[in-house]
Amino acid sequence: MAKLIHTLADHSDDVNCCAFSSSLLATCSLDKTIRLYFLSDFTELPLSPLKFHTYAVHCCCFSPSGHILASCSTDGTTALWNTQNGQMLAAMEQPSGSPVRVCRFSPDSTRLVSGAADGTVVLWNTQSYKLHRSGSVKDGSLVACAFSPNGIIFVTGSSCGDLTVWDDKMRCLHSEKAHDLGITCCDFSSQPISDGEQDLQFFRLASCGQDCQIKIWVVSFTHILARSAEDHLKHFTEDWSEDDVSAWLCAQDLKDLVDIFKMNNIDGRELLNLTKECLADDLKIESLGLRNKVLRKIEELRTKVKTLSSEIPDEFICPITRELMQDPVIASDGYSYEKEAIENWISKKKRTSPMTNLVLPSTVLTPNRTLKMAINRWLETYQK
């Protein structure tokens, strides 16, 4: 049976969140403050309340060591506090300036995720206090997030009910409608599931929603990271033109099929979707052996990424779109971005760096021809 042992009534408005460390209890409120209490007798620390936020504080959480406390607010900031002396270590502003609804530390305390009302999600470096990566969901506010126990991935939940899985490079690994009326909370179990295969690692994930349901998911890290790599290859191949497909056919010693594929307007997307029925009925390839060879080559193309020794170099990916850059430019913060993405960022948002969150000294963008050449050389390995 549960027994009430203490009641705390120091906040002057609704209390939004509470969090435990090994020795402290933290609470945050609409009254703009964060309060800290000793677990031994629930007396308030002399350094409490912590005051910085100019609007309601929505969420607070301790780092695994308990030495740092994070708080996030409607004012668009996520603050880090030293729990031993109450000093504010950093105030990190959401790039969009949107109200921040949720924040969570990674298991090793080196990263912090913050999710905002406009759907933006930011991965912060808690040692440099700088933005590490950023992304966004299509619809709804981000109201929940959780790191996997091994820190490889994290999940976010939105007010529209979408559950999204991200890796540490802010690549979306998986997303689906989990709850009809919005997600309210999500968390990983700390205990892995064993299926007898040493190389596979599974964890349970629970999500709660306004549809009165709690759903339990099983996440396979080996499979989900492999899916991410496959998605990148699919993205590259889907972008192929008909001429790219023709070049690929020649490279596979299938040049006799070039005219047939061109007559049927087979581009990269169509190529990936070809089946044995399409080859026989639509493309009229009569030879069974030739059809099997084409299907085998297409399957090799789909699975090629699994045999590559390395993933996409991080410097080839635009920090804004999280996609491979086609027209990279250098901004005045020294980072490279996809030209269209950074132009939209500057025109529609604050004139701040997506990477550092500092004001850009200039809006001049310089073509990064060296990077573009390197990307093109790297892409050639996928077309051989």
Side-chain angles (χ1 to χ4, degrees):
M1 295 291 292
K3 178 182 177 182
L4 178 67
I5 61 172
H6 205 92
T7 299
L8 302 170
D10 298 304
H11 285 292
S12 60
D13 211 329
D14 294 355
V15 180
N16 289 325
C17 184
C18 61
F20 281 108
S21 73
S22 59
S23 59
L24 300 175
L25 168 68
T27 61
C28 62
S29 165
L30 291 180
D31 66 11
K32 310 174 190 177
T33 69
I34 305 101
R35 292 182 179 271
L36 292 171
Y37 301 90
F38 290 110
L39 286 184
S40 56
D41 56 7
F42 296 104
T43 58
E44 192 166 7
L45 273 65
L47 54 84
S48 180
L50 304 177
K51 296 181 179 180
F52 162 74
H53 295 292
T54 54
Y55 291 99
V57 185
H58 292 287
C59 182
C60 60
C61 62
F62 285 100
S63 64
S65 67
H67 296 156
I68 302 175
L69 177 72
S71 61
C72 58
S73 166
T74 300
D75 62 15
T77 65
T78 301
L80 296 181
W81 307 86
N82 184 322
T83 58
Q84 296 176 319
N85 58 23
Q87 177 186 358
M88 190 174 71
L89 302 173
M92 304 176 298
E93 184 178 351
Q94 201 78 1
S96 62
S98 179
V100 186
R101 301 295 189 190
V102 65
C103 57
R104 285 291 181 273
F105 280 98
S106 64
D108 61 3
S109 302
T110 61
R111 292 161 292 157
L112 178 82
V113 169
S114 65
D118 64 352
T120 58
V121 56
V122 175
L123 192 61
W124 302 95
N125 183 319
T126 57
Q127 297 172 325
S128 65
Y129 310 131
K130 292 182 178 180
L131 186 150
H132 178 60
R133 296 283 186 273
S134 64
S136 64
V137 296
K138 292 182 179 179
D139 300 303
S141 301
L142 290 179
V143 294
C145 66
F147 269 95
S148 62
N150 55 13
I152 292 177
I153 64 170
F154 66 93
V155 298
T156 58
S158 79
S159 58
C160 287
D162 294 330
L163 193 68
T164 305
V165 183
W166 310 82
D167 68 6
D168 58 1
K169 295 180 180 178
M170 289 300 297
R171 292 182 297 208
C172 177
L173 305 181
H174 181 79
S175 184
E176 71 174 84
K177 188 80 168 180
H179 294 271
D180 291 337
L181 301 176
I183 292 174
T184 56
C185 184
C186 61
D187 201 10
F188 278 96
S189 166
S190 61
Q191 298 300 316
I193 302 171
S194 174
D195 70 342
E197 293 187 49
Q198 229 174 9
D199 294 336
L200 295 182
Q201 192 171 28
F202 299 85
F203 280 94
R204 294 185 183 94
L205 170 71
S207 62
C208 312
Q210 293 178 328
D211 54 5
C212 304
Q213 295 182 346
I214 301 169
K215 296 187 177 182
I216 312 299
W217 312 79
V218 175
V219 181
S220 165
F221 294 99
T222 304
H223 291 165
I224 205 163
L225 292 176
R227 185 184 306 166
S228 171
E230 288 172 1
D231 287 344
H232 283 297
L233 178 60
K234 187 176 180 182
H235 171 73
F236 300 151
T237 311
E238 283 185 346
D239 286 343
W240 283 3
S241 65
E242 293 176 26
D243 288 338
D244 291 329
V245 173
S246 297
W248 176 79
L249 287 169
C250 293
Q252 308 306 314
D253 197 23
L254 295 168
K255 62 182 179 180
D256 292 342
L257 298 179
V258 169
D259 290 340
I260 296 175
F261 274 59
K262 279 196 170 185
M263 286 175 56
N264 288 273
N265 305 115
I266 304 298
D267 57 13
R269 185 181 295 273
E270 293 292 334
L271 179 68
L272 287 177
N273 292 323
L274 286 178
T275 63
K276 61 181 180 181
E277 290 79 15
C278 292
L279 294 176
D281 300 336
D282 299 332
L283 301 188
K284 309 298 183 184
I285 300 176
E286 297 180 358
S287 168
L288 175 62
L290 189 55
R291 291 200 302 270
N292 287 339
K293 182 177 180 180
V294 173
L295 287 173
R296 187 168 61 252
K297 293 296 183 181
I298 292 174
E299 185 60 29
E300 289 175 2
L301 183 63
R302 291 171 182 153
T303 60
K304 185 177 180 180
V305 72
K306 295 179 180 179
T307 62
L308 294 177
S309 59
S310 62
E311 293 187 7
I312 307 168
D314 195 43
E315 62 268 24
F316 292 176
I317 299 174
C318 173
I320 299 173
T321 65
R322 303 309 307 153
E323 295 178 354
L324 189 76
M325 288 183 278
Q326 297 181 13
D327 189 10
V329 294
I330 304 172
S332 58
D333 61 357
Y335 291 93
S336 292
Y337 305 92
E338 179 63 34
K339 183 180 179 182
E340 183 179 358
I342 189 63
E343 286 178 340
N344 289 337
W345 179 279
I346 293 172
S347 66
K348 296 179 181 179
K349 301 178 182 291
K350 298 177 181 178
R351 191 174 132 175
T352 56
S353 163
M355 293 298 288
T356 67
N357 205 33
L358 300 176
V359 176
L360 290 169
S362 168
T363 58
V364 174
L365 302 175
T366 306
N368 193 337
R369 295 185 177 88
T370 302
L371 179 58
K372 186 173 184 177
M373 290 173 61
I375 292 173
N376 288 339
R377 284 195 299 269
W378 186 83
L379 276 173
E380 289 174 1
T381 63
Y382 285 89
Q383 299 177 350
K384 292 180 180 179

